[in-house]
Amino acid sequence: MNVRIFDTTLRDGEQTPGVSLTPDEKLRIALKLDELGVDVIEAGSAITSPGEREGIKKVVSEGLSKEICSFTRALQVDIDAALDCGVDSIHLVVPTSDLHLEHKLSKTREEVKQMALESTQYAIDHGLLVELSAEDSTRSDMSFLKEIFTEGIQTGAQRICACDTVGMLTPEKSQEFYGQLSDLGAPLSVHCHNDFGLAVANSLSGLKAGASQAHVTVNGIGERAGNASLEELVVALHSLYEVDTNVDISMLYDVSKTVARITGVYLQPNKAIVGENAFAHESGIHADGVMKKAETYEPITPELVGHKRRFVMGKHVGSHIIKQKIKEMGFRVDEGQFNQIFQRIKSLGDMGKCVTDVDLQAIADDVMGIMAEKPVELEELTIVSGNKVIPTASVKLKIDNIEKLEAGVGVGPVDAAIVAIKKSTADVVDIELEEYHVDAITGGPDALIDVVVRLRHGEQVVTARSTQPDIINASVEAYLSGINKILIDKRMKISKNELND
Ligand code: KIV
Ligand code: ZN
């Protein structure tokens, strides 16, 4: 069996409070979805606005191989707007529960059915493929639901979809519910919302009961608690049910990050499959197990979904991981020195801190009595920011004792400073800021600000921190510490290789 994936990130996902996509942003996401291999891209709802139509048209004009769909109500204006955008199909939605009919539409079941059938006919006559969808179907009368779907299929609807609009199903109810709709004569879609955190489980049950297509969004974004998450559903199908989709699973982490960046909806770290902690190990017992055999504490490999394994140095860290990190830094420590380093990491953990790579380097340098090397030093930093100017930064750095002056602009002062530093150091190292995290660790306007950054240089990932009263200084210091760590490691590797030659 092969389950089809109907992606609604650009329609239901865009209904996430606070999310509004420009036409170009829609296009960027659609291109990723196409590459990912979803079967249908619901690009939006054409009637919504001129900008929405522009976005859908941009997606259509790419000539992608995937089906491009627009949401419509059972109204001719909506279908005309979809036709104007040139989509392949429409997701034609009517509410079916008495609750919605009475309180929202003030229409009878018969009236709504007629609207659905007439709209289906109109769309079919104009060459569109129709997926007829019932909103709030899980609180609808089953005989009415069957009637509207059956007559819709007779009119020409090629697929049907039953929406669990407010996430009221349970896995057991879902199996029973979708089971009753799976043999009406057209492929059936599950569309589950996550109000009780059950959207993926309910979708899986619906698929087991005979549905053949799942509506999902990247990262599970959507109204309220969101929709069934694409990555969770697809990987569960693949790894737990041995059921295939056309999705290229190895792209999931990348697609998730792209959507998070564009929508501004960032993930909780413990989000399954694509969260930053999905393959991170903190406790000594787990890290030790994973280092010996990854399956001990990983149900799938991070590589399967394009993610990376990470070992985090927190309160529960074990000696194995610290020994390995110290070795990677090129230090040879005796037992006494190692114990000192280990104890200092543990006490930082007791103080509620996670130790970054730069912290570990500093502790190890200190214990070994080594003067910390700083290939890049900050000489001057000037920031111009306000409500009427483009945030601009100029930095004077000393890179290997040579002064370098650069300027940068950004969305805010921190961004501008990072842009300027990135420009200044571009000749010596190519850095990508992967993660930036800020915490106010004391209360009030004079709070101490703790900034932790994660930087990538090729395959190498380094974490660094700075705690200061000023967020810009803290950000710059953390960023520069990370760069210095990467440069030191890089140079150490080069000199090691030279020694070996
Ligand atoms: O959840 C829902 O009911 C929907 C429909 C409007 C299609 O998204
Ligand atoms: Zn929905």
Side-chain angles (χ1 to χ4, degrees), residues 8 11-13 15 42 71 91 135 163-166 191-193 215 217 222-224 226-227:
T8 178
R11 198 277 301 171
D12 228 353
Q15 290 174 217
E42 189 175 28
F71 169 97
H91 177 204
E135 186 184 16
C163 300
D164 187 25
T165 303
V166 289
H191 179 113
C192 295
H193 277 268
H215 285 206
T217 60
E223 291 269 3
R224 306 181 310 280
N227 289 58

Side-chain angles (χ1 to χ4, degrees), residues 160-455:
I160 53 172
C161 169
C163 300
D164 187 25
T165 303
V166 289
M168 297 287 281
L169 287 176
T170 61
E172 298 75 21
K173 284 185 190 157
S174 182
Q175 186 153 7
E176 149 100 42
F177 173 77
Y178 284 107
Q180 293 185 66
L181 300 169
S182 63
D183 56 2
L184 296 183
L188 169 67
S189 292
V190 290
H191 179 113
C192 295
H193 277 268
N194 205 29
D195 296 70
F196 290 89
L198 291 172
V200 170
N202 292 336
S203 301
L204 290 167
S205 287
L207 291 167
K208 195 148 186 256
S212 55
Q213 180 170 270
H215 285 206
V216 289
T217 60
V218 174
N219 297 337
I221 60 173
E223 291 269 3
R224 306 181 310 280
N227 289 58
S229 129
L230 182 152
E231 47 289 333
E232 291 176 20
L233 183 89
V234 165
V235 176
L237 282 171
H238 171 85
S239 300
L240 304 177
Y241 290 83
E242 291 172 22
V243 170
D244 278 331
T245 62
N246 293 321
V247 166
D248 175 358
I249 289 181
S250 70
M251 282 185 64
L252 286 173
Y253 180 61
D254 173 50
V255 173
S256 157
K257 283 197 15 166
T258 304
V259 170
R261 262 189 229 123
I262 296 177
T263 58
V265 181
Y266 290 94
L267 298 186
Q268 75 209 53
N270 61 331
K271 164 85 169 62
I273 314 293
V274 287
E276 283 312 307
N277 289 354
F279 299 94
H281 306 280
E282 199 257 8
S283 89
I285 295 171
H286 286 216
D288 184 40
V290 168
M291 277 161 67
K292 288 176 177 149
K293 183 124 180 105
E295 287 99 307
T296 50
Y297 291 102
E298 282 176 359
I300 54 171
T301 67
E303 292 78 22
L304 181 73
V305 294
H307 207 331
K308 285 236 150 44
R309 176 175 303 127
R310 213 155 52 88
F311 294 104
V312 179
M313 293 173 282
K315 185 166 144 184
H316 309 101
V317 70
S319 56
H320 283 85
I321 206 71
I322 302 296
K323 275 189 184 143
Q324 188 184 304
K325 292 225 177 213
I326 291 176
K327 202 168 146 207
E328 281 166 12
M329 285 176 187
F331 287 133
R332 276 198 193 173
V333 291
D334 62 29
E335 210 182 314
Q337 287 165 327
F338 176 76
N339 285 341
Q340 274 188 59
I341 296 170
F342 194 56
Q343 285 324 315
R344 278 173 64 173
I345 291 169
K346 287 273 175 184
S347 28
L348 279 171
D350 281 339
M351 286 155 65
K353 295 223 176 214
C354 272
V355 176
T356 66
D357 298 308
V358 173
D359 294 334
L360 177 61
Q361 174 98 41
I363 294 170
D365 281 348
D366 195 34
V367 168
M368 309 275 296
I370 296 169
M371 274 283 285
E373 208 189 319
K374 277 194 184 168
V376 181
E377 279 186 274
L378 178 69
E379 299 256 288
E380 268 174 47
L381 167 70
T382 312
I383 300 283
V384 182
S385 188
N387 65 343
K388 297 247 165 86
V389 289
I390 297 174
T392 308
S394 77
V395 288
K396 197 202 276 178
L397 299 180
K398 224 184 203 175
I399 306 175
D400 294 320
N401 285 323
I402 300 170
E403 269 183 4
K404 183 127 196 210
L405 192 67
E406 270 293 358
V409 293
V411 291
V414 171
D415 189 36
I418 301 289
V419 169
I421 296 173
K422 201 170 153 58
K423 275 196 203 167
S424 318
T425 51
D427 293 341
V428 282
V429 68
D430 180 28
I431 299 280
E432 197 199 325
L433 176 61
E434 278 206 341
E435 208 180 298
Y436 172 86
H437 184 86
V438 191
D439 264 335
I441 53 178
T442 49
D446 59 349
L448 266 182
I449 305 296
D450 189 48
V451 174
V452 176
V453 294
R454 199 161 87 222
L455 308 183

